[in-house]
Amino acid sequence: MKHIKDFRILGFLVIALINMIQTTTQAKIEPQEEESKDVKSCLFECMACRELWGAIYDGHACASGCFLTQGASIDQDCRLGANMPKRYAEIKSTDQCKKQCELCSMKFTSHKYDRNKCLDTCSLTNGKSRDASCSKYLTLYKVLGASNKV
């Protein structure tokens, strides 16, 4: 009986070994072709432009161009995949918003105006959340003129 158990174990191990060999030979991974130096440089520029300009820059279109032209469409100035007028308009709007924050903080020196929160909001919204009335970031009890603390 002991020999029969040994043969069963040996048979099981042989079958497992054959299955493992078949699995590894069927799942061969084909080596991918290395991209050229020009394509890599082009892709690096796409990545740098995307990091610089964020969602305004179309990184996918830039990368596709790199592959299609074998790197000849390199965008060193970050102009090919971006809407330049929109980009400059957002920068200008953010700067104007920040200037408004500075004016509000100077105007309400006796009140508590949260200048830093205002500046952060300008940056996060690309200048769309402008505090033109200087009331958005004032502390409520100072604005209402309450003299006693609650």
Side-chain angles (χ1 to χ4, degrees):
M1 288 298 261
K2 184 176 180 187
H3 295 292
I4 294 173
K5 288 183 181 179
D6 290 342
F7 282 120
R8 284 184 187 168
I9 293 172
L10 183 62
F12 175 75
L13 290 175
V14 169
I15 291 171
L17 182 63
I18 291 171
N19 284 336
M20 188 175 73
I21 290 171
Q22 286 177 345
T23 305
T24 56
T25 57
Q26 291 174 355
K28 283 187 178 176
I29 298 173
E30 296 294 323
Q32 289 186 340
E33 194 174 304
E34 181 88 16
E35 297 299 334
S36 70
K37 188 176 182 180
D38 292 337
V39 173
K40 288 180 181 179
S41 296
C42 185
L43 290 172
F44 179 78
E45 287 298 324
C46 293
M47 182 187 69
C49 292
R50 176 67 182 186
E51 286 179 4
L52 178 66
W53 296 110
I56 298 170
Y57 192 83
D58 190 353
H60 292 294
C62 180
S64 296
C66 291
F67 288 114
L68 291 173
T69 64
Q70 292 299 308
S73 66
I74 192 165
D75 190 11
Q76 293 176 336
D77 296 329
C78 299
R79 292 185 182 187
L80 299 177
N83 183 344
M84 295 302 281
K86 181 180 177 184
R87 183 187 314 176
Y88 291 126
E90 285 183 0
I91 293 170
K92 185 177 180 182
S93 180
T94 302
D95 288 344
Q96 290 173 346
C97 182
K98 288 181 178 182
K99 285 180 184 176
Q100 182 66 40
C101 292
E102 296 297 335
L103 289 172
C104 290
S105 66
M106 285 189 282
K107 180 179 179 182
F108 291 105
T109 54
S110 62
H111 299 289
K112 291 187 176 184
Y113 189 83
D114 196 344
R115 176 183 159 271
N116 292 332
K117 188 172 182 179
C118 181
L119 292 172
D120 289 343
T121 304
C122 287
S123 296
L124 291 173
T125 64
N126 293 325
K128 292 177 185 166
S129 178
R130 194 172 298 167
D131 188 14
S133 65
C134 297
S135 61
K136 196 172 184 179
Y137 300 104
L138 284 173
T139 305
L140 185 61
Y141 76 92
K142 288 288 186 175
V143 174
L144 296 175
S147 57
N148 56 355
K149 294 182 182 179
V150 177

